[in-house]
Amino acid sequence: MDEVTIQRGLSTHFKFEEFKSELQKNAVVEICQRKNDVLVSMPTGSGKSLCYQLPAVLHSDKITIVFSPLLALIKDQIDHLLALKIRAASLNSKITKPEREMIIADLKSTSPNTRLLYVTPEQAATTTFKVLYNNLHNFNKLAYLVVDEAHCVSEWGHDFRPHYLKLGELRDNCNVPCIALTATASAEVTKDIISNLRLSKDHRTFKTSCFRSNLFYDVFYPNMLEDPYKHLRNFIHECLKMKEEESLPKHKKSCGIIYCRTREQTEVLMERLNKLGIKTLCYHAGLKTHERLEFQDKWQNGDVPVICATISFGMGVDKATVRFVVHWGVPKDPASYYQESGRAGRDGKPSKCRVYYNRSDSKAVEFHLSQDLGRAGSKESRKKES
Ligand code: ADP
Ligand code: MG
């Protein structure tokens, strides 16, 4: 497929006049050829979805199956595609029986209208899906197998999902190119993606450099500060360019995330900051679903600029104007820290990442790290045995 067709597709189907980056363009051009498996490793917000959606649309006689970890992410993608008049559907537990039957009937027809079919890894393990998949594969109707958030196949990643491992099985005897996408860049995770998804030896990789020149990192020791909470407040004022008497930043979109190690910490810190005049909310797995959604929403649309959260906050957070990421307590491990602090400054503007670190909480982390190493050791020895 030539570049002119691809460029035209970008504007007719997606209404973009240019690619977001050279890397996005190169990935699309390579994927469109359907010659090799492809691994795309770019930070969140850099437009990874388009890397498979445009090729999927351009191969208009075939279907692309996309494995994605969360129903919420799937819904966002489908809404977005339908708004562009691109036929996308999802098979999951939330849809009604007639909807499911309609989708399946279309997929089984001689020339299906569906271009992209989204499936969770759990759904992919069902017999219904496997029968459908074999049918599509045998009739040569598949354009691509796409694995989004591919780091979920790795125990080294932060969101390991056992069902992702099973996706590798679908690749046996499969002649359809596999496209794996992730924002996680670590070597261990990349290695696991390649081996667990059985990417071919000559797969191509499109990877952004991990270096983020607009992020500024520093570390403070709360023990040595007169009042760590005021210190944090001053930092927030500075990052959000707020004056003492203001309760919201002038730029409504400017905001920040404070990661805490425990639910209790998120609540305590939220209270402290509110008392110090910074509008703050919290986010953790102990909240009711509607509270979580409401809080995330308020932060997302700028009503409340600061959110104190556990690490459950993040997947799918798509806000380019995060001016700071604080870790209140030492982060879990370097890969998580890279991922979490990397949510700052996606718009390319200067942003700050700060850790408030006490020796006492580093003990907890050392314990977890030694457990991880133990686990990795036994994994290695299992491999050797088999
Ligand atoms: P990722 O999966 O890498 O986190 P997404 O695919 O969700 O990123 O894309 C992030 C945003 O970038 C979306 O709003 C998308 O519409 C936008 N985007 C993608 N490609 C382009 C482009 N070529 N030009 C402008 N915006 C783009
Ligand atoms: Mg994405």
Side-chain angles (χ1 to χ4, degrees), residues 75-323:
K75 187 178 178 307
D76 283 352
Q77 296 281 340
I78 293 191
D79 289 348
H80 175 68
L81 290 167
L82 292 179
L84 292 168
K85 304 211 161 36
I86 296 168
R87 289 287 293 259
S90 161
L91 286 178
N92 63 59
S93 51
K94 293 266 166 71
I95 60 172
T96 61
K97 204 164 168 234
E99 276 178 296
R100 172 187 304 269
E101 280 166 2
M102 219 164 71
I103 296 166
I104 294 183
D106 178 62
L107 295 171
K108 285 188 171 164
S109 67
T110 32
S111 50
N113 290 315
T114 308
R115 287 285 73 74
L116 294 116
L117 177 70
Y118 282 81
V119 184
T120 61
E122 285 74 17
Q123 185 72 33
T126 62
T127 319
T128 325
F129 177 79
K130 284 186 182 156
V131 171
L132 187 67
Y133 170 80
N134 286 331
N135 180 299
L136 291 170
H137 185 257
N138 295 342
F139 284 95
N140 198 18
K141 282 197 244 173
L142 291 178
Y144 304 98
L145 291 184
V146 174
V147 183
D148 202 3
E149 312 290 348
H151 56 270
C152 296
V153 298
S154 172
E155 288 188 58
W156 288 102
H158 38 95
D159 309 303
F160 175 61
R161 288 274 285 273
H163 274 95
Y164 256 71
L165 285 175
K166 299 231 167 98
L167 298 178
E169 291 168 20
L170 296 174
R171 304 265 299 132
D172 289 338
N173 310 317
C174 164
N175 54 12
V176 178
C178 178
I179 317 299
L181 309 109
T182 181
T184 308
S186 83
E188 288 89 357
V189 173
T190 307
K191 213 170 110 194
D192 278 357
I193 292 174
I194 294 169
S195 74
N196 293 342
L197 293 179
R198 305 176 198 179
L199 298 190
S200 58
K201 273 210 188 67
D202 47 5
H203 70 269
R204 298 280 316 273
T205 301
F206 296 85
K207 186 166 190 270
T208 328
S209 145
C210 317
F211 184 63
R212 304 267 311 271
S213 58
N214 62 321
L215 300 188
F216 299 88
Y217 288 82
D218 61 15
V219 178
F220 275 84
Y221 301 94
N223 296 355
M224 297 168 74
L225 300 172
E226 199 180 315
D227 183 339
Y229 297 105
K230 284 199 178 142
H231 193 270
L232 175 60
R233 180 200 55 187
N234 295 345
F235 176 67
I236 295 173
H237 277 159
E238 183 191 320
C239 293
L240 301 184
K241 299 198 167 43
M242 283 163 70
K243 298 212 181 76
E244 188 88 13
E245 64 283 1
E246 292 170 336
S247 65
L248 284 173
K250 265 196 206 62
H251 293 284
K252 193 174 176 223
K253 288 186 173 163
S254 294
C255 62
I257 306 173
I258 303 172
Y259 282 109
C260 301
R261 294 191 59 81
T262 64
R263 295 175 187 185
E264 293 70 35
Q265 273 179 350
T266 65
E267 302 202 350
V268 170
L269 197 54
M270 166 179 75
E271 244 173 70
R272 289 285 193 139
L273 288 174
N274 278 317
K275 280 204 184 115
L276 289 169
I278 309 258
K279 278 190 159 190
T280 309
L281 279 171
C282 68
Y283 185 100
H284 56 70
L287 297 174
K288 297 201 175 71
T289 312
H290 73 91
E291 288 174 321
R292 269 211 309 270
L293 292 176
E294 182 193 324
F295 293 175
Q296 178 160 6
D297 223 45
K298 283 194 167 145
W299 179 78
Q300 195 82 31
N301 66 30
D303 291 343
V304 176
V306 178
I307 196 153
C308 294
T310 57
I311 51 173
S312 61
F313 184 69
M315 221 205 269
V317 169
D318 179 17
K319 211 174 167 185
T321 50
V322 176
R323 295 278 71 91

Side-chain angles (χ1 to χ4, degrees), residues 311-352:
I311 51 173
S312 61
F313 184 69
M315 221 205 269
V317 169
D318 179 17
K319 211 174 167 185
T321 50
V322 176
R323 295 278 71 91
F324 69 85
V325 172
V326 164
H327 279 72
W328 192 252
V330 68
K332 186 165 145 269
D333 54 53
S336 313
Y337 186 55
Y338 176 77
Q339 180 89 15
E340 287 151 21
S341 63
R343 299 202 168 104
R346 294 239 174 82
D347 55 5
K349 300 208 174 121
S351 306
K352 296 194 172 167

